[in-house]
Amino acid sequence: MNPIQWQIQATDGNARAGTITTRRSVIETPVFMPVGTQGTVKGVRFEWLENELDARIILGNTYHLFLRPGPDTIRQMGGLHSFTSWDRSLLTDSGGFQVFSLTDLRKLTEEGVEFRSHLDGSKKFLSPEVSMEIQAALGSEIVMAFDECPPGDAGHERTRASLELTARWAQRSKDRFFDLQAAGMDAGLKDGFRQSLFGIIQGAGHLDLRRESLDRTVQIGFDGYAIGGLSVGEEKSVMYEVLDFITPQMPTGAPRYLMGVGTPEDLIEAVSCGVDMFDCVIPTRNGRTGSAFTSRGKLNIRNAKFIRDDSALDPECDCSVCGRYSLGYLRHLYQAGEMTASMMISHHNLAFFLSTMRKAREAIKASSFQDFRREFLSKLSQNDGKGV
Amino acid sequence: MNPIQWQIQATDGNARAGTITTRRSVIETPVFMPVGTQGTVKGVRFEWLENELDARIILGNTYHLFLRPGPDTIRQMGGLHSFTSWDRSLLTDSGGFQVFSLTDLRKLTEEGVEFRSHLDGSKKFLSPEVSMEIQAALGSEIVMAFDECPPGDAGHERTRASLELTARWAQRSKDRFFDLQAAGMDAGLKDGFRQSLFGIIQGAGHLDLRRESLDRTVQIGFDGYAIGGLSVGEEKSVMYEVLDFITPQMPTGAPRYLMGVGTPEDLIEAVSCGVDMFDCVIPTRNGRTGSAFTSRGKLNIRNAKFIRDDSALDPECDCSVCGRYSLGYLRHLYQAGEMTASMMISHHNLAFFLSTMRKAREAIKASSFQDFRREFLSKLSQNDGKGV
């Protein structure tokens, strides 16, 4: 049985509105997936994600969960769903991206990558096979192939070498993935549906290499396709150029996932190119530093002008934070070092990202996506240069 | 009109089950009041306090709110209810206790106390009059008189001098309080009901002075009476001796409030003596350090034996944390430094304190309080000495 069913409900230009049906939930796209690095979304309880924000899928992080509490513990606790009690869909990354961020700590070979744990300095090893084994123990609905992610400014030769390695690792990922499924090692098995496996397109800012990476990944064949290696330090124009070039060439019959991106502008631009899925830490990371995303752009809660402001973070937002709490109160909580400030700004930011995707979806279905995009981006720039 | 209506539904020995009806909520006693020091209960959103935990009253802290954001800001935002959006009852302390905890920072005179802000070192002044003015700006349902709290081990002479000062300050508090009510300075006015004012009994561990303080406080006359100066470093036996002695002598026709106390054992012992109201920071403070209160005693979430434990913090607790999350998962979140660990253990601890008071209330109404007390305390000691 197909582990995910991908259906397109509407297209508008390159933009697509669809549904991904997994063994655990129906995901309406375009979709923003909140990041639950260590098995929890920072500062936001699952109850809010389910009941109010209605997130149908969240991420788990293979690198972090590998180190703590470890795949053996999670497997023994029945997989990541059972361990965390999150019973909707999970996507797990491969761990590669985090390891390659530890530049000083790794030794890369054809076989895989050796690194030292950032927690205790102990030696660890990740490879396509190990990543697949961990992700089987996590039991996520969407498993990511183990790839190498070169720096955003890598030259042509370095990038080509990297994508060749990524292609070989993609095949090894797929081989090991299916062995594990056949051996019943998927801890998240439900109703006989296996995990799904997504391949990753690399190639940095080199369009010819992006195309080559796409071809090689599709040739191996996956349940969905991701664009990796963007928003890793390159110019924004490079990212948009790559998205514009590669997304419409990706298979229409599978979901398209832009990894680790990005701002609300980035999301809308990528949807316009035909991307269906996103994840990014910024709603919760910025929430913890008092930075709110709103329909009129970013807002810094520390700004003294908010001291006695009784309006909402975003008067156009219908989340439980904006419906109840004032800027002045949230600023007070932030200045006073109260955890509830981080919790509530993170909550609002996630609400904004999720509802932006829902509005994009409605616009695509109504064939008015380009109008929506223009208005959304224009409104978003209203706070620019106002020192907020 | 009486600002609070106090009704006794049942008594069992000295223990009482009653209701305090304020302009904003009906409070069933015995009651534990969660502490919202800076206008928020640390780590627990109001929505949980209202919808699940059903707290009918929480505390606000005059010292902290005086310094930040300041009474002018809160008054301009419509009072503490309007500023925070908490629309049930509020009790505000007088600020005295915090100031007297700043031993090196204060200068005490008959007029009041001068101190330096712990935030920026600026000079501040609190007196009965200033405290009443701040609490009027906060607009709480229950205002506390401004008292001096001597150290728990203060000698007889020092304690007598302190209670005499407290008595003079109580009268000044009352005078200024009624001037402010008459002048329409209560920011929380609702349906014509004024704030209520509680007097505080001091006297440290000296029973004769406790009695004298009680008499003088009752002579001035208040809407309710509090026992201050306990759980401030004295032996636990001293606290129980004082409670045993003074509580039954307090007016039956008004609520009795034991300030800043305490552990679940302390609460049950004090209810047995006839106390109706409690507040304490330990459910949330301990929650943030991974210490959980359960029906079988305290539990330290860091304990390695919980790594793969799939049972609840407290299998007898019906809160949303215990109904869903395992010890193993909560331990993982705590060890990983995730905010959700603090949030959820604080949440459970509050649920445990509030439900313990509800069970005590039911037992009093069923004339089985002593049985309840014996079983509760016996069960509570089950984890003792087990290294949890």
Side-chain angles (χ1 to χ4, degrees):
Chain A
M1 284 187 289
N2 235 335
I4 58 172
Q5 288 161 46
W6 164 245
Q7 287 188 308
I8 296 177
Q9 265 105 43
T11 58
D12 187 357
N14 286 322
R16 328 190 304 169
T19 53
I20 303 168
T21 304
T22 77
R23 58 194 180 184
R24 283 196 165 77
S25 59
V26 176
I27 302 154
E28 298 181 327
T29 68
V31 65
F32 179 81
M33 305 180 283
V35 176
T37 308
Q38 305 189 106
T40 185
V41 174
K42 289 186 193 301
V44 183
R45 282 179 58 173
F46 287 157
E47 290 86 346
W48 290 113
L49 287 163
E50 292 162 349
N51 301 334
E52 182 192 319
L53 304 176
D54 196 17
R56 310 286 178 87
I57 180 169
I58 64 173
L59 257 70
N61 195 288
T62 289
Y63 170 81
H64 287 278
L65 296 168
F66 176 33
L67 299 186
R68 185 172 53 196
D72 292 347
T73 293
I74 294 180
R75 180 178 290 285
Q76 193 170 321
M77 298 290 277
L80 194 55
H81 294 96
S82 164
F83 180 55
T84 64
S85 82
W86 176 260
D87 201 37
R88 300 187 178 185
S89 296
L90 284 169
L91 182 151
T92 44
D93 65 8
S94 71
F97 183 75
Q98 272 75 24
V99 171
F100 293 111
S101 307
L102 308 169
T103 348
D104 294 336
L105 301 173
R106 63 188 169 83
K107 199 175 107 188
L108 174 67
T109 62
E110 179 68 28
E111 180 57 20
V113 58
E114 196 180 273
F115 63 99
R116 289 190 178 277
S117 159
H118 75 282
L119 297 177
D120 61 7
S122 63
K123 242 183 223 176
K124 300 281 178 183
F125 181 72
L126 264 181
S127 65
E129 290 77 14
V130 173
S131 176
M132 294 305 107
E133 285 155 19
I134 299 169
Q135 293 183 74
L138 299 178
S140 49
E141 276 58 52
I142 302 179
V143 168
M144 299 304 299
F146 190 73
D147 62 330
E148 201 219 337
C149 178
D153 58 356
H156 199 273
E157 199 175 346
R158 162 83 173 85
T159 306
R160 171 182 289 279
S162 168
L163 84 79
E164 307 251 352
L165 181 63
T166 289
R168 293 191 296 275
W169 282 1
Q171 184 64 57
R172 281 170 54 192
S173 293
K174 186 174 174 183
D175 293 346
R176 185 69 182 136
F177 172 87
F178 277 104
D179 287 349
L180 289 160
Q181 301 300 312
M185 296 299 284
D186 162 20
L189 193 72
K190 189 173 179 184
D191 304 332
F193 285 99
R194 65 164 172 90
Q195 299 180 280
S196 70
L197 180 65
F198 279 30
I200 303 174
I201 300 160
Q202 291 288 354
H206 309 283
L207 301 185
D208 58 329
L209 298 181
R210 284 281 172 187
R211 175 71 222 196
E212 186 175 334
S213 183
L214 169 60
D215 290 342
R216 298 184 66 160
T217 312
V218 170
Q219 198 170 10
I220 297 169
F222 291 93
D223 300 307
Y225 295 91
I227 306 168
L230 289 180
S231 203
V232 291
E234 80 284 0
E235 291 287 327
K236 195 148 265 204
S237 59
V238 173
M239 174 167 86
Y240 289 163
E241 188 189 26
V242 170
L243 287 175
D244 220 35
F245 171 77
I246 203 69
T247 318
Q249 302 187 57
M250 291 168 74
T252 56
R256 300 159 173 173
Y257 165 30
L258 176 55
M259 302 182 77
V261 175
T263 65
E265 299 91 314
D266 293 343
L267 266 55
I268 292 303
E269 293 305 313
V271 167
S272 182
C273 299
V275 173
D276 308 304
M277 304 164 68
F278 303 89
D279 80 283
C280 193
V281 295
I282 59 171
T284 46
R285 177 172 294 167
N286 286 19
R288 293 197 302 285
T289 58
S291 176
F293 292 93
T294 81
S295 56
R296 289 186 162 71
K298 277 170 82 172
L299 169 161
N300 186 334
I301 199 71
R302 286 163 295 182
N303 197 313
K305 77 175 181 187
F306 298 136
I307 289 179
R308 298 178 183 190
D309 192 329
D310 64 3
S311 53
L313 272 180
D314 186 350
E316 292 182 34
C317 177
D318 60 3
C319 85
S320 60
V321 174
C322 290
R324 174 162 188 172
Y325 303 101
S326 68
L327 276 167
Y329 177 58
L330 292 169
R331 179 184 188 277
H332 161 68
L333 294 182
Y334 190 84
Q335 295 297 106
E338 288 287 351
M339 218 190 303
T340 41
S342 298
M343 289 158 54
M344 294 202 284
I345 303 173
S346 295
H347 179 114
H348 159 75
N349 283 348
L350 285 175
F352 181 71
F353 274 62
L354 286 159
S355 83
T356 296
M357 289 297 93
R358 280 187 206 107
K359 287 175 189 163
R361 175 179 165 84
E362 290 315 307
I364 294 164
K365 288 166 75 177
S367 302
S368 59
F369 180 72
Q370 290 309 324
D371 289 343
F372 166 76
R373 174 190 180 192
R374 199 176 314 109
E375 282 166 35
F376 180 82
L377 295 175
S378 146
K379 210 189 268 183
L380 211 54
S381 64
Q382 289 190 11
N383 275 340
D384 278 6
K386 290 191 192 158
V388 293
Chain B
M1 282 186 289
N2 236 335
I4 58 172
Q5 288 160 46
W6 165 243
Q7 288 188 307
I8 296 178
Q9 265 107 42
T11 57
D12 188 356
N14 286 321
R16 328 193 300 171
T19 53
I20 303 168
T21 305
T22 77
R23 59 194 179 185
R24 284 196 165 77
S25 58
V26 177
I27 302 155
E28 299 181 328
T29 68
V31 65
F32 180 81
M33 305 180 284
V35 176
T37 309
Q38 304 190 107
T40 184
V41 174
K42 290 188 192 298
V44 183
R45 283 179 59 172
F46 287 156
E47 290 85 347
W48 290 112
L49 288 163
E50 293 162 348
N51 301 335
E52 182 191 320
L53 304 176
D54 196 18
R56 309 286 178 86
I57 179 168
I58 63 173
L59 258 70
N61 194 288
T62 290
Y63 169 81
H64 287 280
L65 296 168
F66 176 32
L67 299 186
R68 183 171 54 194
D72 293 347
T73 293
I74 294 180
R75 180 177 289 284
Q76 193 170 322
M77 297 291 277
L80 193 55
H81 293 97
S82 162
F83 180 55
T84 65
S85 83
W86 175 261
D87 200 37
R88 300 185 178 186
S89 296
L90 283 170
L91 181 152
T92 45
D93 66 7
S94 70
F97 182 76
Q98 273 73 26
V99 170
F100 293 110
S101 307
L102 308 169
T103 350
D104 295 336
L105 300 173
R106 63 188 170 83
K107 199 174 106 187
L108 174 67
T109 64
E110 181 68 29
E111 179 58 20
V113 56
E114 196 179 274
F115 63 99
R116 289 191 180 276
S117 159
H118 74 281
L119 297 176
D120 61 7
S122 64
K123 243 184 225 175
K124 300 281 177 185
F125 181 72
L126 264 181
S127 66
E129 290 77 13
V130 175
S131 177
M132 294 306 110
E133 286 156 19
I134 298 169
Q135 292 183 75
L138 299 177
S140 49
E141 277 57 52
I142 302 181
V143 168
M144 299 305 300
F146 189 74
D147 62 330
E148 201 217 340
C149 178
D153 58 357
H156 200 273
E157 198 175 345
R158 163 83 174 84
T159 306
R160 172 182 289 279
S162 170
L163 83 80
E164 306 252 352
L165 181 64
T166 289
R168 293 192 295 276
W169 282 2
Q171 185 64 58
R172 281 169 55 191
S173 291
K174 186 174 174 181
D175 293 346
R176 185 70 181 134
F177 173 85
F178 278 104
D179 287 350
L180 289 161
Q181 302 301 312
M185 296 300 282
D186 163 18
L189 193 72
K190 189 172 176 183
D191 304 332
F193 286 99
R194 65 164 171 89
Q195 297 180 282
S196 70
L197 180 64
F198 279 30
I200 302 174
I201 300 159
Q202 290 289 355
H206 309 283
L207 300 185
D208 59 328
L209 298 181
R210 283 283 172 185
R211 175 71 221 197
E212 186 175 335
S213 183
L214 169 60
D215 291 342
R216 298 183 67 159
T217 311
V218 170
Q219 199 170 10
I220 297 169
F222 291 94
D223 300 307
Y225 296 91
I227 306 168
L230 288 180
S231 202
V232 292
E234 80 284 1
E235 293 285 329
K236 194 148 266 202
S237 60
V238 173
M239 174 166 88
Y240 289 164
E241 190 188 27
V242 170
L243 287 175
D244 221 33
F245 171 77
I246 203 70
T247 317
Q249 303 188 57
M250 293 169 72
T252 55
R256 301 159 173 173
Y257 164 32
L258 176 55
M259 303 182 76
V261 176
T263 64
E265 297 91 314
D266 293 342
L267 265 55
I268 292 303
E269 293 305 313
V271 166
S272 183
C273 299
V275 174
D276 309 304
M277 304 163 69
F278 303 89
D279 80 282
C280 193
V281 296
I282 58 169
T284 46
R285 178 173 293 168
N286 286 20
R288 295 197 300 286
T289 58
S291 176
F293 292 93
T294 80
S295 55
R296 288 186 163 71
K298 277 170 82 172
L299 170 160
N300 186 333
I301 198 70
R302 285 163 295 182
N303 195 313
K305 76 176 180 186
F306 298 137
I307 289 180
R308 298 178 182 188
D309 192 328
D310 63 3
S311 52
L313 271 181
D314 186 350
E316 292 183 33
C317 176
D318 61 2
C319 85
S320 60
V321 174
C322 289
R324 175 163 186 172
Y325 303 101
S326 68
L327 276 166
Y329 177 57
L330 292 170
R331 179 184 188 277
H332 162 67
L333 295 181
Y334 190 84
Q335 295 297 104
E338 287 287 349
M339 214 191 305
T340 41
S342 298
M343 290 159 53
M344 295 201 283
I345 302 172
S346 295
H347 179 113
H348 160 74
N349 283 348
L350 286 174
F352 180 70
F353 275 62
L354 287 159
S355 83
T356 295
M357 290 295 93
R358 278 187 206 109
K359 287 174 188 165
R361 175 181 166 82
E362 291 315 307
I364 295 164
K365 289 167 75 177
S367 301
S368 60
F369 180 72
Q370 290 310 323
D371 289 342
F372 166 78
R373 176 192 178 192
R374 199 176 315 111
E375 282 166 35
F376 181 83
L377 295 176
S378 147
K379 208 188 269 180
L380 212 53
S381 63
Q382 290 190 10
N383 275 340
D384 278 5
K386 291 191 190 157
V388 294

